[in-house]
Amino acid sequence: FHRIAQCPDLDFFVSPLDYGFRGMGGHTAAMIPNGTVHAHGKIYIQENDERCWHPVSRDYGAVRTEGEFRAVYRRTLADAIISGMGTWSTSMPWLVHKGARLRGEPQGMMHSSVVKDLPAAECARVVAEMAACRRVDEFALAVDRTPSAEICVLLDDESFYHQTYRKNLELPSVYELGLRTLPHLGAPAEFHVLNDFLAGRLRPFKLYVFVNTYHLDDARRAQLRRQLNRKGPHRRVALWLYAGGVLNRD
């Protein structure tokens, strides 16, 4: 991913919000390391397709009421503002009754607040909420949103070639860390890819969390030692979650 982020022909990256822990009490994380995007002078745009409160729409963090939907929408907007993301909302026709997917008129809009068969008053409140959120967005464009996190979470895209996608290690250490653990840490954190840190492209942080640094050859080990020992206004603390450098092709 760090090589793609360096491409001069790309200005932004877009993806839906992560589907794993939406809904009340959850977190709508970016699907890619947003800090890496910033480090290369680009922007990540979160595609907001939060599920509405329709009684049949029960997947991917569905909410129960219009009030819950507004709360989730505010949370997602706030995350975009403090993380320096862009955001847009998607609208996709969806047939409420699965058996009628291929015929008839769509009875609802699954990915937006415009739902034909929900109470008009509830829809009006959500439309007003979205208008208020747009005013907040426009205000945020005029303020300094330079990241201020002091915790850097490092993902190693090279180690992914040596991993599987199972629940015994990879899901808890990588996926659920970003969805469930770090959002409740109480301090902001940025996600970066390891190779940008090794190349000295990142601003200094106080704490570096090495999530999946399983594979390190001799050259990357030397780079890692050099970056962690760089002098600065404060010490650089490294937190290794599991089996750091257990693999070495050299």
Side-chain angles (χ1 to χ4, degrees), residues 4-179:
I4 297 176
Q6 295 177 48
C7 178
D9 300 318
L10 296 177
D11 296 320
F12 60 90
F13 295 83
V14 181
S15 78
L17 305 165
D18 198 284
Y19 291 95
F21 197 38
R22 297 185 179 191
M24 294 295 292
H27 177 60
T28 43
M31 285 190 175
I32 60 177
N34 184 47
T36 296
V37 178
H38 284 168
H40 290 273
K42 307 177 191 301
I43 188 170
Y44 170 74
I45 300 176
Q46 57 166 223
E47 190 172 81
N48 186 341
D49 59 346
E50 304 278 15
R51 273 29 179 187
C52 71
W53 64 104
H54 194 284
V56 183
S57 173
R58 308 313 308 157
D59 67 338
Y60 299 125
V63 293
R64 295 168 296 182
T65 66
E66 162 260 332
E68 287 188 356
F69 179 85
R70 288 190 287 119
V72 168
Y73 199 86
R74 290 179 185 179
R75 180 198 65 203
T76 302
L77 173 65
D79 187 52
I81 291 175
I82 64 176
S83 301
M85 302 180 189
T87 183
W88 66 41
S89 297
T90 60
S91 294
M92 183 181 296
W94 181 71
L95 301 182
V96 172
H97 302 292
K98 294 182 179 180
R101 284 184 183 272
L102 301 179
R103 62 181 183 274
E105 291 293 325
Q107 296 182 6
M109 302 293 287
M110 186 174 184
H111 296 84
S112 76
S113 62
V114 185
V115 183
K116 290 173 61 176
D117 52 355
L118 286 174
E122 294 181 359
C123 293
R125 285 195 293 268
V126 171
V127 171
E129 180 74 25
M130 297 178 77
C133 287
R134 178 171 180 174
R135 292 193 292 271
V136 173
D137 279 338
E138 293 172 346
F139 171 81
L141 292 174
V143 301
D144 182 9
R145 292 196 290 157
T146 302
S148 60
E150 297 178 328
I151 301 173
C152 179
V153 182
L154 292 167
L155 300 168
D156 184 22
D157 47 1
E158 292 192 19
S159 288
F160 280 127
Y161 292 109
H162 303 273
Q163 297 178 230
T164 62
Y165 194 67
R166 299 178 179 174
K167 295 181 180 180
N168 56 353
L169 174 62
E170 285 80 4
L171 282 178
S173 65
V174 178
Y175 188 68
E176 293 193 7
L177 178 77
L179 287 178

